[in-house]
């Protein structure tokens, strides 16, 4: 059984400005729900993502500047537990950018972990989006991006 979590936010900046912050993994500890992140946004690269109590190493599967960043990871095998996380950037007519932060989980462990994937994780995605929005809008106000 699959689980999908999504959080959406509009950011007062261009998709390119959002992309620059989204892929600046070295600064994640300053503004995001991750305590740290390492790697580069290039297809095939492995990232090291740290959150309180958890470290995971997903592989970048899509990295289209200003449009989409996607990574995927497994626990054991894909049949056991597989997660695919995507960030889609869409320009709005008013010059802002809509960020869709989405994670899809599949595998037999999803049934066992479903209750842990609900509200706390969804709040985490919204918190990530809020942190990204504040960081990007703060930088664009000061003309640094």
């Amino acid at each position: 059984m699959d689980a999908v979590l999504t959080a959406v936010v509009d950011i007062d900046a261009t998709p390119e400005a959002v992309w620059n912050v989204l892929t600046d993994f070295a600064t994640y500890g300053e503004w995001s729900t991750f305590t740290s992140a390492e790697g580069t946004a290039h297809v095939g690269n492995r990232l090291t993502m740290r959150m309180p109590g958890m470290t995971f190493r997903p592989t970048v599967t899509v990295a289209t500047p200003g449009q989409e960043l996607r990574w995927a990871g497994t626990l054991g095998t894909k049949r056991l537990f597989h997660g695919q996380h995507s960030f889609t950037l869409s320009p709005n007519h008013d010059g802002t950018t809509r960020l869709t932060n989405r994670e899809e989980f599949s595998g037999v462990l999803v049934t066992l972990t479903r209750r842990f994937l609900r509200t706390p994780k969804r709040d985490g995605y919204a918190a990530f989006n809020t942190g990204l929005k504040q960081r990007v809008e703060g930088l664009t106000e000061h003309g640094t991006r």
Side-chain angles (χ1 to χ4, degrees):
M1 185 172 276
D2 293 352
V4 178
L5 302 172
T6 304
V8 179
V9 68
D10 288 329
I11 301 173
D12 189 12
T14 65
E16 292 74 22
V18 176
W19 176 264
N20 289 339
V21 174
L22 179 65
T23 59
D24 185 3
F25 299 119
T27 66
Y28 268 41
E30 298 172 19
W31 61 266
S32 81
T33 52
F34 292 96
T35 54
S36 71
E38 300 168 11
T40 56
H42 296 290
V43 173
N45 283 2
R46 298 261 329 244
L47 305 174
T48 301
M49 312 300 286
R50 292 182 182 86
M51 301 178 84
M54 180 186 344
T55 297
F56 59 100
R57 300 214 47 220
T59 301
V60 176
T61 57
V62 176
T64 307
Q67 295 179 27
E68 182 180 16
L69 174 63
R70 184 181 303 228
W71 62 63
T74 60
L75 176 63
T77 67
K78 283 186 176 183
R79 285 190 70 223
L80 188 59
F81 189 88
H82 179 74
Q84 182 168 263
H85 200 129
S86 64
F87 301 92
T88 305
L89 309 175
S90 306
N92 293 321
H93 295 294
D94 62 0
T96 62
T97 299
R98 173 151 298 165
L99 170 77
T100 303
N101 181 349
R102 177 182 170 98
E103 187 134 26
E104 299 176 38
F105 300 98
S106 62
V108 295
L109 287 180
V110 172
T111 302
L112 299 174
T113 60
R114 183 175 296 282
R115 69 186 183 105
F116 299 107
L117 296 176
R118 292 198 177 181
T119 304
K121 285 288 185 183
R122 186 168 294 131
D123 290 346
Y125 295 118
F128 181 93
N129 286 4
T130 298
L132 180 63
K133 175 181 174 67
Q134 290 172 347
R135 178 73 168 208
V136 172
E137 290 178 356
L139 291 173
T140 54
E141 283 177 13
H142 296 95
T144 58
R145 298 256 178 191

